[in-house]
Amino acid sequence: SNVAGTDECSAILTVREPPSFVLKPESQKVLPRSTVQFKSVLKGTPPFTIKWLKDNKELVTGDKCLIGMEESTCFIDLYSVDVSETGEYTCQVSNSVGTISCTALLVVKEP
């Protein structure tokens, strides 16, 4: 304010946080025909885009797997795994300010 009058303005500041892992998926060794779940717990500013990859190839929900997200936990369920599903599984998470990934190993081994 001054002798000519008063003026004011306001603004809203939004801080966006890149994704980060609170909990990373753990490597697993299982028997054939097992059901396997890899999960990650995230923090950051939603919405998140989640991708799961096996040996760097993107997986999609279908007969053999289910990809999902519940609150801050993303997961992949693999059904009735066989030896061919042994490999590296990567969780890739993106939002408007960043992308992160982490990898776990699955070993499917005959008894």
Side-chain angles (χ1 to χ4, degrees):
S1 88
N2 62 25
V3 293
T6 301
D7 195 12
E8 65 181 60
C9 68
S10 63
I12 296 174
L13 174 65
T14 302
V15 177
R16 300 191 190 285
E17 183 181 357
S20 62
F21 291 106
V22 175
L23 178 70
K24 295 180 179 181
E26 294 184 5
S27 294
Q28 299 182 48
K29 292 180 182 176
V30 300
L31 296 173
R33 295 177 298 285
S34 298
T35 295
V36 175
Q37 183 179 74
F38 289 113
K39 69 179 179 179
S40 299
V41 179
L42 311 170
K43 69 176 186 172
T45 303
F48 297 112
T49 300
I50 309 295
K51 290 182 182 178
W52 284 91
L53 304 100
K54 178 189 179 272
D55 298 329
N56 296 314
K57 293 181 183 174
E58 187 173 354
L59 299 169
V60 293
T61 292
D63 292 341
K64 294 287 284 175
C65 72
L66 172 67
I67 296 171
M69 179 135 188
E70 295 175 357
E71 297 180 14
S72 62
T73 302
C74 64
F75 63 88
I76 184 169
D77 292 336
L78 305 169
Y79 303 117
S80 192
V81 296
D82 61 37
V83 174
S84 70
E85 281 145 323
T86 292
E88 291 185 340
Y89 287 79
T90 301
C91 177
Q92 184 181 81
V93 182
S94 303
N95 69 5
S96 62
V97 290
T99 300
I100 56 167
S101 64
C102 64
T103 300
L105 181 65
L106 176 64
V107 176
V108 182
K109 191 172 177 181
E110 294 289 345

